[in-house]
Amino acid sequence: MASTEGLMPITRAFLASYYDKYPFSPLSDDVSRLSSDIASLIQLLTVQSPPSQGETSLIDEANRQPPHKIDENMWKNREQMEEILFLLSPSRWPVQLREPSTSEDAEFASILRTLKDSFDNAFTAMISFQTKNSERIFSTVMTYMPQDFRGTLIRQQKERSERNKQAEVDALVSSGGSIRDTYALLWKQQMERRRQLAQLGSATGVYKTLVKYLVGVPQVLLDFIRQINDDDGPMEEQRERYGPPLYSLTKMIVPEYFPSFGLLLLTSKDQMNLLSEAAIVYTSEFERFVTFISDVFANSPFFISADTAGILGSRDNEEYKEIIVQAGRTYEISLMVESENSYIAWDFSLMQGKISMDIGFSLEYISASGEKTLILPYRRYEADQGNFSTLMAGNYKLVWDNSYSTFFKKVGRYLHFAADGVNQYPYLSPFFHCFH
């Protein structure tokens, strides 16, 4: 588990300085030119052939401003690419193009194959970017999480959650859901992850304690997920820097999907050439943007030192309690748990003076008949943090032992809690799978 000592979440000011090192070269002028030409073509085609209800909704979407969020634009571009690839599938080509008998048909078929290859490459780059970015985020987060059973539990919960989400998508597709329906569901799932993540970052009281000490989430990570998407937070700097070129690409691809390629095949060669040029420019520029933003994200940190940010932070210790264990005495805390597979956790440290101090610590289980079973063997510590999953319901006792000391009292700070059955705490589950 990597230390978060002295770290704080990235700030917008830091990202602004960081992004200064990564300027994006402007998009080709062809993007705006071709976008305008396609918009004019759509107007012409809608006059010649009134659009269907579905095509009308696409026209309305093309006339709206792109989403503000970077990731939502990415999903929108991916959706439109998949729609176009579906239309470019050879099985959907007219017979005369699948088996061309004229040079003109052969030329059109060649254009379609080129377009399909271009969109295939861009679509693959898009999926690779999203997959690698998700894996990088999760991997980075996990370096700051406990490297014990809790880390394993988080991974297992994430995998289970993502399998369930994929099953939901598969069920939609199997029932005849469209590509548009599928991506609406995917974005809904993404927003649910974000909502749960925001709730987790804003946890207070006992919820916050459970998240920090049961799951082991460091406070600095909770601060990060609470602040990262603030209206004027770090991500807004990202949107201001890199949003405009992505917005232009989003505006370009939505009209490209309308009307279908099949309809355009019935129009002039000039119109087909326009669509071909626009598709090649779009896919080339989109791949360039994705490659660029991948490098930016790959090198962007989650946390920075307080010195780097120019801020001296202080830890909030209000959750800890102070105890004094007199010489020759013990201090005990009883914790009642009502079910097996519950969790007990503790964190304590002694106040140190000129002489190094330690104290004995152990954990025992007391049955209903009063019989004691040692769970954590006695050992002397200056500080310790730990947790375990119970095998039985009942009374568990934390024992600090200073009976061996003749002269010195021990002053310490501690935090402890017991949680009955982790499955009873649904507010913990977002952390298990939200980094996607």
Side-chain angles (χ1 to χ4, degrees), residues 41-51 263 266-268 271:
L41 173 60
I42 288 177
Q43 288 183 339
L44 174 63
L45 292 174
T46 54
V47 170
Q48 295 175 349
S49 176
L263 178 59
L266 303 178
T267 64
S268 72
Q271 292 173 348

Side-chain angles (χ1 to χ4, degrees), residues 339-343 388-393 396 419-423:
S339 63
E340 61 183 33
N341 294 322
S342 297
Y343 287 88
F388 82 104
S389 176
T390 64
L391 298 177
M392 299 172 287
Y396 290 81
D420 288 315
V422 69
N423 290 332

